[in-house]
Amino acid sequence: MRKRRKFAPEFKAKVALEALAGELTLAEIAAKHDIHPNLVQQWRRHAKESMPDLFSGKAAVHQNSREAEIKVLQAKVGELTIEKDFLAKAFGR
């Protein structure tokens, strides 16, 4: 069984822009980049849906909320690591 391939956001954006341009069919774009046509269609749809957010400022707000969430989660990881180390020392492990 083949492993799933992961694509960089830059690659997805490039393919989505090609699809939005409409110069080639989805099948031609997919063959050109060696991916399935459904991926091209998904990435094009995602790009179309998220375009208004780029100009309304919602993307920046979303990014800031993600960064805040990451900081909270990193603090929690640090806290749990300290607790784990303390308990390991307390029980002599």
Side-chain angles (χ1 to χ4, degrees), residues 34-52:
D34 190 32
I35 56 177
H36 197 277
N38 287 350
L39 280 178
V40 178
Q41 184 178 11
Q42 288 174 357
W43 296 345
R44 181 185 68 177
R45 183 177 42 240
H46 187 284
K48 240 184 208 179
E49 291 171 354
S50 62
M51 284 256 190

Side-chain angles (χ1 to χ4, degrees), residues 44-88:
R44 181 185 68 177
R45 183 177 42 240
H46 187 284
K48 240 184 208 179
E49 291 171 354
S50 62
M51 284 256 190
D53 293 342
L54 293 174
F55 298 105
S56 69
K58 290 181 183 176
V61 171
H62 180 66
Q63 181 66 23
N64 290 340
S65 67
R66 287 185 65 147
E67 289 174 3
E69 183 180 356
I70 288 172
K71 285 185 180 186
V72 168
L73 292 173
Q74 287 175 338
K76 185 68 174 174
V77 167
E79 182 182 317
L80 292 173
T81 302
I82 291 171
E83 286 180 22
K84 179 187 137 299
D85 292 344
F86 173 78
L87 291 173

Side-chain angles (χ1 to χ4, degrees), residues 16-27:
L17 286 174
E18 278 186 45
L20 286 171
E23 294 174 3
L24 300 172
T25 66
L26 296 180

Side-chain angles (χ1 to χ4, degrees), residues 4-22:
R4 255 191 163 158
R5 295 189 299 173
K6 294 187 181 187
F7 300 100
E10 295 83 13
F11 177 74
K12 291 179 181 181
K14 177 182 159 189
V15 172
L17 286 174
E18 278 186 45
L20 286 171

